[in-house]
Amino acid sequence: MNAQDNKANRENNNKQDFAHQFRKKVIRKLQAQDNKSTNVWFGLGMMGLIGWSVTVPTLLGAALGVWIDNQQIGQHSWTLALLAAGLTIGCFNAWHWVAKEDKAMHEQQEDSNDNNPQN
């Protein structure tokens, strides 16, 4: 009887190990399907978005500065001042986008860790 009990326990353990491994693989595949947005194109799009969020305010500031300099002749260059202001606004804008995406990624990772403990 003892040998039969050992054999039954081994078979039961093998079935549990297989079920556990299968469950982990299924969870990993489902998470990969849920994270379709985190691919190469998403990364390139985000780089483009950040680039334009800096470029547009900088160019608008420079254009406004050139227009003011052409309308009003003075000692100070409005072009340079507004170009720097546009660049500063653009950098803060880009920082905002990056912080927002970083927070979303960390929250998503924490949610997946909470839902799928590593037991």
Side-chain angles (χ1 to χ4, degrees):
M1 281 247 196
N2 197 10
Q4 289 177 346
D5 289 340
N6 286 340
K7 185 177 179 182
N9 283 339
R10 279 194 308 249
E11 288 177 6
N12 192 26
N13 286 341
N14 288 340
K15 287 179 184 178
Q16 287 177 350
D17 288 343
F18 176 76
H20 180 69
Q21 290 174 357
F22 182 77
R23 181 177 176 266
K24 284 174 63 173
K25 286 183 181 182
V26 167
I27 289 170
R28 206 175 308 136
K29 285 185 180 186
L30 290 174
Q31 286 176 343
Q33 288 174 352
D34 289 343
N35 292 334
K36 285 184 179 179
S37 64
T38 56
N39 59 24
V40 174
W41 294 112
F42 177 77
L44 290 173
M46 185 57 69
M47 284 182 4
L49 178 71
I50 291 169
W52 282 110
S53 71
V54 173
T55 303
V56 170
T58 303
L59 292 177
L60 289 174
L64 182 61
V66 168
W67 182 78
I68 291 174
D69 282 342
N70 287 336
Q71 299 297 320
Q72 176 183 355
I73 297 177
Q75 294 179 358
H76 304 289
S77 171
W78 283 101
T79 303
L80 184 59
L82 292 178
L83 180 121
L87 180 62
T88 303
I89 291 169
C91 287
F92 279 118
N93 194 17
W95 174 74
H96 169 74
W97 277 101
V98 170
K100 179 181 171 185
E101 285 298 316
D102 185 54
K103 181 179 176 183
M105 285 178 10
H106 279 84
E107 286 176 354
Q108 184 179 18
Q109 187 173 12
E110 286 175 5
D111 288 344
S112 67
N113 288 341
D114 290 343
N115 292 336
N116 303 314
Q118 297 283 332
N119 290 333

